[in-house]
Amino acid sequence: MERGFAWHHSKQPRHAQADFEDMFSHNCNSVLIAASEHDLDYWYRSLFMDKLGHQSGVLPGNGTG
Amino acid sequence: MTISELITLLRQDITQNYRMRGAKGARTEKKTLNRPILWTIGGIVVGVIIIAAVLWIGPIIGWDVISQIVSENLGLGSTIFNAILLFAFLGSIMFAATTVGNSERMEYLLVMPVEMRTIFMEKYLLLIIYSSIFWLVIGTPIIIGFSILAAHPIGYLSILAFVILVLSEVTIGTSIGGLLGLAFAKVLAGRRRLKQIGWAIMTSLGIVVGSLWYASIYLGEGAGWFNQIIDIAMALGFASDLTPGYYVSVMTLGLLVGAPLSIQHFFATLLIPLSAGGLLYLNSYVSELAHYSGWMRSESKRTPKEKVLEEHPPWNPNPFPRLQMSITTSVSMWYNLTSVKRESKVFTQYLLGPLRYLIWLILPVFAWGDELLFILPYMLTAALVSLAVSYGVSFAGYETVYEGRNLMNLQLAAANMSDYVKGKVLSAVPFTIAAASIVGVFYLIFLPATWFQIPAMVIGCIFVNLVAGAIAANAGASNGDFKAERMFTRQRGAAVRPPIKGLAIIKAQLIPNAYGYMGLFGLVLGSTFIATVYGLLVGILALYLLLPVFALISLRLYRSYSFKAGVKLAQLEASEYL
């Protein structure tokens, strides 16, 4: 079962980390991130790999689980 | 922070989103490719010319001679290299305090999924590139030229050393300047009054020092200034062995001529790029800190969560004492004063700006001394007229044009526009009286014999001011660019348009000046003549009988031009300037 939040924050790494840790400490296992085209064009790595992969131990999904 | 993020940001900023042709549209910020291409070509051409010049002149002097001179004094370039550091330092103080701070553009950048310090560091890197490009374009070809002349393999290393060390030097200067700017931002954070006083002092210093600078050049002491600067630089230790510039010079020139470099020199030079990197990181870290602590916070444009009831007494502006004026006029007058006073930079510019050319009127007397003392009264009179006209142009002319966004409100309010213009003109009068009185005191000190003319001068000046204001407002209303904005904070790099353009501003300056000169000179010369021929008493009598005539003519002009300006303002299509 997926439990999670839709996350619309400023995507600043330090806020992201704090927010994700908070979510996981509340037994959530998924985050829906609102990303713009610009984010995906230029910042795919920064947005998904660095933030989720390394810092929180979660891998990016495609929304289906 | 990752290097790839930094490079992505830099690439976005440097390559930008240029268009092959100029993009249309009033609000577009898209630039054409012409300018960057032209600059690149220009840089390459300059570089090639410099290399060719070095290769041509070098053999004439002889490489042996050059090599010997350089080897004997490897610190030859320390003054220049230290100057590069100083320029970078001075240029970046303002940059750190304003641009890197929380400008609106920064706010947009900070939504990206990149650490703030990466973004700040990228901004500093950009500044470093822009500040060093000049030195690199001029300096690198010189070093290339000489290393070709030197014709030994180590000589070519000096090119690399030069580029790295100049970039490091600019980085050090920029970072220290940036830290200082951030310190200023910290001190001034949330202190509006202190900031305003600071701006007022800086602006007036700028105006006065600038005028004196040009005056000194005019008086033939131009070269003296330059020598003094060199002396000061020497006194500050610019040619000293313990400055970064010295080590940059030793390293670059040492490699060029193949002089033996000690291990001590090598490590000292290595310290320059290392400290540059450290300072750069420190700067971006402190910028991030500053952002989180709100030092740079601009005033919020969002409406607060809770409704804030501002309590203040009802605004009931009073007219000048004992002066009949309509409510529109008095409101306009006080509104104008308030909006000019709001920004101390603007206020100081308006009040002290005329000093820039007044100094030219007074200077000849001081420059040539007693021989020209007889023209002093005319110079002082001319100064008075110029002051009055200048105040009229700024308070009534410019301020009318800056009303662009407010124009629709004014038209809908069904205010009498002529009265509104009159208010603007009248708002300059107190300052004219104050300035004219100060000049009057000078008059009294230098030429006590003219005591009876001084009150007439001051009063005449007020009327010149009225005429000038009305004429300038009329010029503004007919030919002003109502899209112009009075944004002194954005004057660098941004389009701040001149409010009144072309012939209109020349007319707005010339006609009142001519009128004032004719009027006041007529009064001065006429009364002096009558006083010498028929006696002092008759002279005084004639002066104070003629003054009301001048005043009446002035008032007529003031009324008619204010009326014309008002009609023009009312007829403008205000929706274009919303």
Side-chain angles (χ1 to χ4, degrees), chain B residues 530-541:
Chain B
I530 293 170
T532 40
V533 176
Y534 299 103
L536 186 61
L537 202 64
V538 185
I540 295 172
L541 209 64

Side-chain angles (χ1 to χ4, degrees), chain A residues 10-12 14-15 42 46, chain B residues 5 12 110-111 113-114 292:
Chain A
S10 76
K11 305 188 193 85
Q12 275 283 308
R14 74 154 76 178
H15 299 299
Y42 292 100
S46 316
Chain B
E5 285 174 347
Q12 281 181 11
L110 296 178
V111 304
V114 185
Y292 273 109

Side-chain angles (χ1 to χ4, degrees), chain B residues 14-41:
Chain B
I14 291 174
T15 59
Q16 290 193 13
N17 202 352
Y18 289 117
R19 295 286 185 264
M20 287 307 279
R21 293 182 59 201
K24 300 282 191 303
R27 282 166 193 249
T28 186
E29 287 181 0
K30 297 267 177 285
K31 292 169 196 145
T32 57
L33 207 52
N34 298 343
R35 199 187 272 195
I37 287 178
L38 280 178
W39 275 106
T40 314
I41 293 173

Side-chain angles (χ1 to χ4, degrees), chain B residues 17-76:
Chain B
N17 202 352
Y18 289 117
R19 295 286 185 264
M20 287 307 279
R21 293 182 59 201
K24 300 282 191 303
R27 282 166 193 249
T28 186
E29 287 181 0
K30 297 267 177 285
K31 292 169 196 145
T32 57
L33 207 52
N34 298 343
R35 199 187 272 195
I37 287 178
L38 280 178
W39 275 106
T40 314
I41 293 173
I44 292 169
V45 168
V46 167
V48 170
I49 290 173
I50 291 175
I51 293 177
V54 170
L55 289 181
W56 180 56
I57 297 172
I60 297 175
I61 304 171
W63 173 247
D64 295 339
V65 181
I66 297 172
S67 164
Q68 199 187 347
I69 293 170
V70 173
S71 308
E72 277 167 12
N73 188 7
L74 290 176
L76 205 64

Side-chain angles (χ1 to χ4, degrees), chain B residues 154-218:
Chain B
I154 299 172
Y156 292 106
L157 272 181
S158 63
I159 303 168
L160 192 69
F162 175 79
V163 172
I164 293 174
L165 289 175
V166 165
L167 279 173
S168 310
E169 272 210 305
V170 173
T171 309
I172 292 175
T174 311
S175 306
I176 295 175
L179 287 172
L180 195 70
L182 287 166
F184 277 131
K186 166 85 176 149
V187 172
L188 294 174
R191 293 182 182 150
R192 193 188 134 77
R193 186 163 294 170
L194 190 63
K195 214 183 277 181
Q196 293 296 325
I197 293 170
W199 275 126
I201 293 172
M202 292 298 279
T203 314
S204 28
L205 268 181
I207 292 169
V208 171
V209 172
S211 321
L212 290 179
W213 168 275
Y214 285 116
S216 73
I217 292 171
Y218 169 74

Side-chain angles (χ1 to χ4, degrees), chain B residues 447-466:
Chain B
L447 299 150
T450 59
W451 60 270
F452 67 98
Q453 288 173 336
I454 295 167
M457 299 264 80
V458 176
I459 295 167
C461 208
I462 296 167
F463 288 101
V464 173
N465 179 235
L466 290 182

Side-chain angles (χ1 to χ4, degrees), chain B residues 447-518:
Chain B
L447 299 150
T450 59
W451 60 270
F452 67 98
Q453 288 173 336
I454 295 167
M457 299 264 80
V458 176
I459 295 167
C461 208
I462 296 167
F463 288 101
V464 173
N465 179 235
L466 290 182
V467 174
I471 291 177
N474 184 43
S478 55
N479 233 342
D481 178 6
F482 284 86
K483 278 184 180 156
E485 284 183 57
R486 185 190 47 212
M487 286 168 85
F488 273 71
T489 45
R490 278 189 54 198
Q491 277 200 341
R492 261 193 140 191
V496 175
R497 311 189 211 189
I500 308 174
K501 281 187 198 162
L503 268 181
I505 187 68
I506 297 173
K507 250 162 57 185
Q509 295 271 14
L510 276 186
I511 296 174
N513 263 314
Y515 174 76
Y517 286 146
M518 282 197 297

